[in-house]
Amino acid sequence: MATEFSGGGDPARSLALLWRTGDGARGRSDLSVDRIVAVAVELADSAGLAALSMRRVADRLGVGTMSLYTYVPGKAELIDVMLDTVYGETARPEDPAEHWRGRLTGIARENFALYRRHPWMLQVATGRAVLGPGAIAKYDFELRAFDGLGLPDVETDALLTLVLGHAEAAARRSVEMAETERRSGMSDEQWWQANAALLGGLLDPDRYPVAARVGSAAGQRHGAAYGPEHHFEFGLARILDGIEALISSARRS
């Protein structure tokens, strides 16, 4: 569940920050929008979005909180710039894979890794994103994976959204598993092994034959009820199969 929303501040101020069209330096040689954002991202990475505040960013920078407000209007605008900044981390090779499946696979894996690197991104609802240079460049590059496929523009946008949504959903499960392990002090495999006898008694193969068979096979494969990387790759391959069928259908019509 999202705890923050992009575009939640003043859109004009967010755009000025994103595109650096403001007044520039405001009297401190040791501060800048870029430095404030970098520290904010580090804080969110290490302690989560709930820990992010203008005061805590100021404390890490060793300055007074009011000093930040001459560079960034508030937390909402700061989150917009944080998102745009980390969007710039995704690789955009000048010579991407020749086949569209390879291109989309690379894009999905980049986004999967980005969310796991910055789990706080999963707490930001981006339906009203204020578009900055990082977001626009990322979107433009990712759309190019569909070049030459003959698909309508609206379908192209929807298919990219499908691929990115899968990466986000898979990363969310992966992050949740990592957080559960951190809080409990046990890996999923350790937890299942410790509780195997108790849980196994509930999954009666005579009463639930399919669930017992499939659940047992999956558990043996992953050492847990869920394998994040396996499910990400398996789901991505099935999505790409569907896109391939759509392309074939469009070419026949």
Side-chain angles (χ1 to χ4, degrees):
M1 183 70 178
T3 58
E4 299 288 346
F5 297 82
S6 62
D10 182 333
R13 290 187 172 186
S14 284
L15 285 169
L17 284 172
L18 289 164
W19 293 93
R20 305 298 194 269
T21 58
D23 297 329
R26 296 167 175 81
R28 291 194 65 114
S29 59
D30 58 340
L31 276 184
S32 66
V33 172
D34 288 344
R35 186 165 181 230
I36 292 168
V37 171
V39 169
V41 169
E42 290 175 2
L43 176 59
D45 285 347
S46 62
L49 204 58
L52 180 69
S53 68
M54 299 295 278
R55 180 186 60 80
R56 292 193 69 176
V57 173
D59 288 346
R60 288 204 172 194
L61 287 164
V63 301
T65 304
M66 294 308 296
S67 298
L68 300 191
Y69 288 104
T70 62
Y71 293 84
V72 180
K75 181 178 176 180
E77 292 84 1
L78 177 59
I79 289 173
D80 286 341
V81 188
M82 290 167 62
L83 281 171
D84 198 70
T85 298
V86 298
Y87 285 152
E89 294 179 10
T90 54
R92 294 160 204 167
E94 294 182 3
D95 54 345
E98 184 174 347
H99 195 272
W100 64 266
R101 283 188 75 115
R103 296 195 295 269
L104 283 178
T105 296
I107 287 168
R109 288 174 179 169
E110 279 291 316
N111 280 271
F112 183 59
L114 182 67
Y115 282 116
R116 296 207 294 179
R117 199 159 57 244
H118 303 293
W120 56 267
M121 295 176 67
L122 298 167
Q123 297 175 269
V124 184
T126 57
R128 295 184 178 180
V130 179
L131 296 177
I136 292 177
K138 179 177 181 291
Y139 180 56
D140 183 76
F141 174 80
E142 291 171 345
L143 286 173
R144 293 181 195 177
F146 297 90
D147 279 353
L149 299 183
L151 297 172
D153 288 346
V154 174
E155 286 189 5
T156 296
D157 177 77
L159 290 172
L160 177 60
T161 299
L162 177 64
V163 171
L164 299 185
H166 172 66
E168 179 180 351
R172 188 181 301 278
R173 289 292 302 273
S174 177
V175 167
E176 288 171 351
M177 288 180 66
E179 180 62 13
T180 299
E181 180 175 340
R182 186 188 70 81
R183 292 190 184 190
S184 67
M186 298 176 69
S187 68
D188 263 25
E189 184 172 6
Q190 291 170 328
W191 187 89
W192 281 100
Q193 287 176 350
N195 294 281
L198 174 65
L199 299 172
L202 298 175
L203 203 59
D204 183 354
D206 293 328
R207 188 174 183 182
Y208 309 108
V210 179
R213 186 189 76 245
V214 175
S216 176
Q220 290 177 11
R221 170 69 181 272
H222 307 308
Y226 183 81
E229 288 78 12
H230 170 81
H231 284 83
F232 167 70
E233 294 290 347
F234 180 84
L236 176 60
R238 302 294 74 75
I239 289 171
L240 297 182
D241 289 345
I243 294 175
E244 189 162 13
L246 182 65
I247 294 169
S248 297
S249 176
R251 288 174 176 171
R252 288 195 301 268
S253 61

